[in-house]
Amino acid sequence: MNDERNGKVATGADWIIPALGAAFAIYYLISIRELDWEAKVSGVFCAVVLFILIGIFAIRTAVGLLRGTHYLEITSLYEDHKLAVLRGALFGLTVLSVAVIPWAGFTLSTFGFLFACFMWLERMSARMAAIVAGCLALGGFILFILILRTSFPQGPFERLVSALTGL
């Protein structure tokens, strides 16, 4: 591995996304056990590719640690207070959005998440945030619920559209 950067490269915080990805892939593989084999193929393929990439990243990190070009630290996650607050806010909004999906449904929870992100994190005007979040949530509704027929929990918006259109 030929690292052209000067000094050591911090690693540690880089493992958060691969760890969460691996956990999600394992959860997904467990949750699709009862499905037909056709439905399992793409999930297993994606999980295998993900685990191969995580393995390559692990080998790269281990080689860097052994050569002394890398060192372990996680302080890059919270070294900048403003960035740490933004990351925490995004994490909190994500958890809240997932928590309200059973009650609000896919479309309204997606709208609320995007609207809050645009208002708080991007500092958009309320009007622009509502327009963009509304268009994206409606696009998600059309794609995932009407076209792909995914089984997201239905909320007031999905029930209203179903009652008005019969879709």
Side-chain angles (χ1 to χ4, degrees):
M1 182 161 83
N2 188 4
D3 195 1
E4 296 179 11
R5 294 174 280 197
N6 293 328
K8 290 185 175 186
V9 177
T11 188
D14 300 339
W15 278 95
I16 292 173
I17 292 175
L20 291 174
F24 179 74
I26 291 168
Y27 160 76
Y28 185 75
L29 290 173
I30 291 169
S31 71
I32 64 171
R33 281 188 315 216
E34 305 299 322
L35 298 178
D36 294 331
W37 72 270
E38 295 95 345
K40 293 178 185 177
V41 170
S42 65
V44 170
F45 176 76
C46 288
V48 167
V49 169
L50 179 65
F51 289 132
I52 288 171
L53 292 173
I54 291 172
I56 292 168
F57 185 63
I59 292 168
R60 180 179 177 265
T61 302
V63 168
L65 289 171
L66 290 172
R67 287 186 174 172
T69 59
H70 290 67
Y71 65 98
L72 289 174
E73 79 160 6
I74 60 167
T75 57
S76 61
L77 285 175
Y78 54 85
E79 64 189 13
D80 180 8
H81 179 71
K82 184 178 178 183
L83 185 58
V85 169
L86 285 176
R87 287 176 177 165
L90 183 58
F91 180 76
L93 287 172
T94 303
V95 170
L96 180 65
S97 175
V98 170
V100 300
I101 284 177
W103 171 79
F106 170 78
T107 310
L108 289 180
S109 63
T110 300
F111 172 80
F113 172 75
L114 293 173
F115 181 77
C117 286
F118 293 149
M119 288 289 295
W120 191 19
L121 302 176
E122 286 294 320
R123 306 283 191 236
M124 281 186 178
S125 69
R127 182 174 183 269
M128 184 57 71
I131 290 170
V132 174
C135 289
L136 291 171
L138 188 59
F141 171 76
I142 292 168
L143 176 66
F144 292 114
I145 296 181
L146 295 182
I147 295 173
L148 297 176
R149 299 284 184 197
T150 54
S151 59
F152 286 115
Q154 289 196 350
F157 180 81
E158 290 85 3
R159 287 192 288 276
L160 176 65
V161 169
S162 179
L164 293 175
T165 64
L167 297 173

